[in-house]
Every structure is written in C-alpha cells, then in structure tokens.
Amino acid sequence: MIGPQHAHAGLDGLVTGDAFGDSWFTRSDEPAEELWAAREPRPAPWPWTDDSAMAFVLFAHLTEHGEVRPGDLARQFAAEYRRDPGRKYGPSMHSVLRRVGEGEDWRAVTTGQFGGQGSYGNGAAMRVAPLGAWFRDDLAAAREQARLSALATHAHPEA
C-alpha cells in the first residue's frame, strides 16, 4: 500500500535523528573534541532543523496531493521558511525561499543558483525519508517523486 502510515513513521525517525544529530554540532567557543570524547548527549530540548521543517511540509504535501507537485511544494517550502526562518537553513536556501515566497518563478530561482547550474547540496536528500516510505512499494515512483521533490529547491541533477 502506498500512503501515509509508513511515511509518518519515517518522519518520526527523521525528526528524531535530525534533533539528535544537530545536538552534536558545537560552537566555535566550545571544546569540541572534549565534548565529543565524553560521548554525552547535550541536555534536552534538542531543536530540529530546516531538514525536519521541510520534511513536515513534504509529508503534508503528499497527504494533500498523493504526489509531488514541484511548484506547489516550492511555494509551501517558502511559506514555512517565512513562518520560521531560524531553523538553520543553508545559506543559499535563504535566498531561494525568500525569492519564491516573494512570487518569483521557482524554476528560474532554483536553476539560477550557483552560476546557472542549480544547487546540488544535500537538503533534498535530508528531507526525503517520508517520501521514500510513502512510495515504498513502487521503486520507480519513489525515484521519480524524489526527483520532483528535489527540483522544488535543488535544480542540479546530483541533488
């Protein structure tokens, strides 16, 4: 069955891993090696990042449409960014999501990144877990839907 039950579980795992993993990043004024060697998690709460924020949007998008519609998804990502821009978005995503949110064509914005080659960062991969679970019974559909999801923010084929 294709659908939300397994995607929701995938989303739970993604958000937990995102928050836990982000807790291991250190500030420049902290003794990173000492903290890592102690292998002690930071005290809670562990806030989640842009990867989870965008995965929530992707899950809601799939719930609404049953498939990825890149233009709609790009605008939904931009709306989430506008709601909470402090979730550790990558440097280029600030510009992309702001511009899409201001009404610029998402295709022009994403393909114009990095001298016209588009972003090939890992953001699209970081948010894709619920999509993989949603389409787990159809590998070809999962691949195509992941490609469409990536296009909403990352135009480079490597993304």
Side-chain angles (χ1 to χ4, degrees), residues 92-105:
S92 68
M93 284 301 105
H94 289 285
S95 173
V96 166
L97 296 172
R98 238 186 257 118
R99 291 171 61 196
V100 170
E102 291 168 356
E104 286 188 51
D105 181 84

Side-chain angles (χ1 to χ4, degrees), residues 1 9 24 27 42-43 53-54 72 81 90 93 121-123 133 145:
M1 176 195 161
W24 290 96
R27 297 184 317 262
R42 290 185 188 257
M54 295 178 93
D72 291 337
Y81 172 81
M93 284 301 105
N122 68 356
Q145 293 297 302

Side-chain angles (χ1 to χ4, degrees), residues 71-146:
D72 291 337
L73 184 59
R75 287 183 288 278
Q76 290 167 341
F77 284 151
E80 174 59 25
Y81 172 81
R82 186 173 44 253
R83 191 188 71 72
D84 188 6
R87 286 262 174 222
K88 298 188 176 182
Y89 287 87
S92 68
M93 284 301 105
H94 289 285
S95 173
V96 166
L97 296 172
R98 238 186 257 118
R99 291 171 61 196
V100 170
E102 291 168 356
E104 286 188 51
D105 181 84
W106 67 275
R107 285 178 219 87
V109 172
T110 60
T111 58
Q113 290 287 296
F114 301 98
Q117 68 177 346
S119 175
Y120 55 92
N122 68 356
M126 296 297 291
R127 66 178 183 241
V128 80
L131 183 147
W134 190 286
F135 294 100
R136 73 191 183 288
D137 292 334
D138 186 343
L139 185 56
R143 184 175 29 252
E144 176 60 11
Q145 293 297 302

Side-chain angles (χ1 to χ4, degrees), residues 34-80:
E34 185 180 309
L35 290 168
W36 296 334
R39 299 193 186 279
E40 298 267 340
R42 290 185 188 257
W46 297 337
W48 37 272
T49 72
D50 64 316
D51 299 323
S52 293
M54 295 178 93
F56 286 131
V57 171
L58 177 58
F59 179 80
H61 182 85
L62 288 170
T63 300
E64 181 179 354
H65 301 292
E67 66 181 5
V68 174
R69 298 176 183 177
D72 291 337
L73 184 59
R75 287 183 288 278
Q76 290 167 341
F77 284 151
E80 174 59 25

